[in-house]
Amino acid sequence: MKIQRKSMMLLGIAAACVLIVSLILYFGDRSNPAGLRGHEAAENASGRPLVQIGSLYITEADLARYKEHMQFTSETPADDTTLVKELAIDQLMLHLADEQGLTATREEGIREAERMRKTLQEQPAEVQAQHAAFIDELKVSEEAYWEDYAAPFYQKQLSKANLVSALVAKQKEDGRDVIATGHALRKKLLEAALKDGTVKVLDPDMQW
């Protein structure tokens, strides 16, 4: 029983780490995100653009922030090309969800954040302390974290979940023998986006 409790605690800490990494990545430049700027402005403010998804650019600064905080979630960090590809797929899914009218609402993000906050309060003290330490790293109050950081993050997560549900349903309607989910689905989305030009790799050193 003690071993099971310890495992649950470690899983809870890992989940908290993943959340914080994602929040820092998405909100690292909250005052003027690169996704709302043109190519030149993005380069001046956030480093050289590496990949373009629609009007959004993933830059060297985004990659650097992601790598800096990967230490919390991975003992063996992936290479730059793999990391950028992961970021590109996440942003592509948000882009496609928006195009298809599947973006979750702000209110849905708030409700999900409130649900997760209650879930966190039910976790062992060690997990709650670890999560509190991550909030301290962001240098914001707990209330600001849940309202300004967690709610938008969960809004994005729900948007991606909506997209996946719609794509899986479409595959079933089409009578597919093999339903692509998880990693396979993400790979298919990226391949299609590269082919139709939705995603453009701007760094010549990155071979996908």
Side-chain angles (χ1 to χ4, degrees):
M1 192 72 174
K2 185 179 291 184
I3 294 176
Q4 184 179 13
R5 178 183 173 84
K6 182 70 172 179
S7 297
M8 290 177 63
M9 181 189 73
L10 293 175
L11 286 173
I13 292 175
C17 290
V18 171
L19 171 61
I20 294 298
V21 167
S22 300
L23 291 173
I24 290 173
L25 173 66
Y26 286 127
F27 298 100
D29 183 8
R30 300 179 69 241
S31 62
N32 195 9
L36 302 181
R37 296 191 289 261
H39 184 285
E40 183 177 351
E43 184 170 1
N44 291 338
S46 304
R48 181 168 58 93
L50 303 173
V51 177
Q52 180 179 356
I53 306 101
S55 62
L56 181 141
Y57 293 90
I58 293 176
T59 69
E60 289 178 327
D62 295 322
L63 175 60
R65 279 196 297 270
Y66 195 30
K67 288 172 66 175
E68 180 182 353
H69 296 281
M70 279 300 290
Q71 60 182 307
F72 294 120
T73 60
S74 176
E75 295 181 0
T76 310
D79 59 86
D80 288 0
T81 297
T82 300
L83 293 178
V84 172
K85 186 182 292 187
E86 290 174 0
L87 299 182
I89 293 174
D90 280 339
Q91 292 299 338
L92 171 62
M93 293 180 74
L94 294 173
H95 175 80
L96 294 175
D98 183 57
E99 280 193 338
Q100 298 180 31
L102 298 171
T103 300
T105 65
R106 166 72 176 172
E107 290 71 24
E108 288 172 328
I110 291 173
R111 287 197 297 270
E112 184 66 7
E114 290 173 347
R115 187 181 73 82
M116 293 304 296
R117 187 175 187 178
K118 290 178 182 177
T119 299
L120 179 64
Q121 292 169 348
E122 298 170 355
Q123 301 309 305
E126 296 93 333
V127 175
Q128 296 187 47
Q130 185 70 63
H131 196 271
F134 287 130
I135 293 178
D136 288 341
E137 286 292 320
L138 288 175
K139 303 188 186 307
V140 298
S141 68
E142 184 173 358
E143 290 303 318
Y145 164 79
W146 287 106
E147 182 176 344
D148 298 334
Y149 286 71
F153 169 78
Y154 285 117
Q155 181 182 0
K156 293 175 186 292
Q157 295 299 93
L158 291 172
S159 298
K160 291 190 289 185
N162 290 343
L163 176 68
V164 170
S165 295
L167 292 173
V168 169
K170 182 65 167 60
Q171 292 178 79
K172 291 180 179 179
E173 287 178 8
D174 293 342
R176 299 283 182 87
D177 293 330
V178 179
I179 305 298
T181 59
H183 178 72
L185 180 58
R186 288 167 62 88
K187 182 179 179 181
K188 283 181 176 294
L189 288 176
L190 180 60
E191 289 174 349
L194 287 167
K195 187 175 181 179
D196 67 23
T198 301
V199 172
K200 297 178 178 134
V201 180
L202 305 177
D203 186 343
D205 294 331
M206 290 193 175
Q207 300 297 324
W208 290 4

